Amino acid sequence: MFSLGSWLPAFPGLAWGWALLDALLQGLVGACAVSVLCSLLKIYLYLQCLKSPERQAEKEAIKAQRAVLEPLHVLVLTGVLALVGARVAALVVLEFSLRAVSTLLSLGKGSHSTHLYLLCQYSLGCGVSCALSFLLEGAPHRSSSLALAAGLAGLLALQCQRLAWHVCALYELHSQQRYCGLCILLLADGHRVPGLLRRALAVAFAVADVAAVQLINQDFLSATEALRFWTPLTICYALLVVYMQEEARQSADGGLVFRTVLVRMGGLFILLLTVGRWSDILHVQLSLLGELWCLLRAGVLLESCRTQ
């Protein structure tokens, strides 16, 4: 495997250092993907609030979100995604994919859920990280490829953040006077943002699911060993989906989101106590922190989705 340090002498710990750099770059790409998702949802929800006079309080709450906190959010999420192992990240991706399919089937044909898009933040970051691990495994100049991907992802995330700030600050003025191309475009096609996100997330999670299955299976030496892992995992995930669907029907308060996270991570924790490794236990705890961090940061947007 080649990387940026392939031409250097084989000093002790050098390979570990480049592996850590690769993990940080993968985490950064995943965190930037989450940032892009949140910025586009912020724009869409803000535009929806402008259409309803009774939602002025929600509009002001979205507008009051501090843009200076976004770099901190990306930095913390980058660290969490870099530290979480590929095995647990893959399990998080598969669990969300199963839950998303169940939710979309219950919504019915032609429906969409912006609430579901916000719940997939951490899973999206894990999915991007898994996909990069799978696609770049054994690739020459892996670190260089990851650095390029991180640079492009950071640029895209920065532009989306600037667009969100522009919309929250100037959209009302520009859409009335009609001299800003971006605001005119959003005025005409802003309602298509959920469809754009739905297609992009479908592609991202399709690739991530394939990568997740491959990353998990490469740890098994035989089909019997793989079967001993996948059987309890499938049963656990099926029970979690049934439980969460029933909870969603019976409760509509904001605390349901956080209870769901605790139940999901608790179930994964117990499962890995029996079929996992000691490092998986630590990674599940880090994943719990990552999930809570994403949901706390998007609290205003989640509240707006619930009242929409």
Side-chain angles (χ1 to χ4, degrees):
M1 180 186 298
F2 270 166
S3 66
L4 289 175
S6 59
W7 53 273
L8 294 174
F11 293 114
L14 187 60
W16 182 87
W18 285 112
L20 177 60
L21 175 62
D22 289 350
L24 287 172
L25 290 174
Q26 285 181 193
L28 179 58
V29 176
C32 289
V34 174
S35 178
V36 170
L37 173 66
C38 290
S39 295
L40 293 178
L41 284 174
K42 181 178 180 180
I43 292 170
Y44 173 73
L45 292 172
Y46 185 81
L47 296 180
Q48 294 301 305
C49 289
L50 290 177
K51 298 178 181 179
S52 304
E54 65 275 9
R55 299 181 64 186
Q56 292 303 304
E58 296 174 38
K59 183 197 77 172
E60 294 301 325
I62 295 175
K63 192 174 182 179
Q65 284 187 308
R66 297 183 180 181
V68 295
L69 295 178
E70 188 61 29
L72 176 63
H73 175 67
V74 172
L75 181 63
V76 172
L77 192 55
T78 297
V80 172
L81 292 174
L83 293 175
V84 171
R87 185 184 177 99
V88 171
L91 292 175
V92 170
V93 171
L94 293 175
E95 185 274 331
F96 177 80
S97 298
L98 181 62
R99 183 158 45 101
V101 170
S102 175
T103 302
L104 292 175
L105 290 176
S106 66
L107 286 175
K109 186 177 180 181
S111 301
H112 68 269
S113 174
T114 52
H115 189 261
L116 183 63
Y117 300 155
L118 286 171
L119 296 181
C120 82
Q121 292 177 77
Y122 181 72
S123 301
L124 175 62
C126 289
V128 171
S129 182
C130 286
L132 288 173
S133 295
F134 174 68
L135 294 174
L136 295 178
E137 185 175 4
H141 308 294
R142 173 189 174 95
S143 297
S144 301
S145 300
L146 285 172
L148 178 60
L152 294 174
L155 181 61
L156 180 60
L158 181 61
Q159 293 302 317
C160 288
Q161 291 173 22
R162 289 180 175 177
L163 177 60
W165 177 87
H166 177 86
V167 170
C168 291
L170 300 171
Y171 176 81
E172 292 183 82
L173 175 64
H174 288 176
S175 60
Q176 293 174 1
Q177 299 187 0
R178 296 179 183 266
Y179 63 78
C180 173
L182 285 174
C183 293
I184 293 175
L185 177 63
L186 288 173
L187 181 64
D189 295 326
H191 62 282
R192 297 184 179 180
V193 171
L196 171 65
L197 290 176
R198 181 171 62 251
R199 290 188 292 271
L201 290 173
V203 173
F205 276 102
V207 176
D209 288 338
V210 174
V213 173
Q214 293 296 325
L215 288 172
I216 294 174
N217 283 336
Q218 71 183 6
D219 293 333
F220 302 124
L221 300 177
S222 64
T224 303
E225 187 179 355
L227 187 62
R228 281 200 299 264
F229 179 85
W230 283 108
T231 301
L233 178 69
T234 304
I235 296 173
C236 177
Y237 279 0
L239 292 175
L240 282 175
V241 168
V242 172
Y243 169 79
M244 287 182 287
Q245 290 290 338
E246 187 63 27
E247 278 286 298
R249 293 190 188 98
Q250 296 179 2
S251 177
D253 63 346
L256 174 63
V257 174
F258 295 96
R259 290 199 302 271
T260 299
V261 171
L262 294 175
V263 170
R264 286 168 41 223
M265 290 302 169
L268 188 57
F269 181 85
I270 295 173
L271 175 67
L272 291 177
L273 278 176
T274 58
V275 296
R277 305 166 182 166
W278 69 266
S279 57
D280 293 336
I281 307 304
L282 176 61
H283 294 158
V284 169
Q285 297 174 16
L286 287 172
S287 292
L288 175 61
L289 294 177
E291 285 269 17
L292 294 176
W293 176 260
C294 290
L295 294 176
L296 288 172
R297 172 60 177 155
V300 173
L301 301 182
L302 283 168
E303 185 63 30
S304 180
C305 285
R306 279 194 293 269
T307 58
Q308 183 174 334

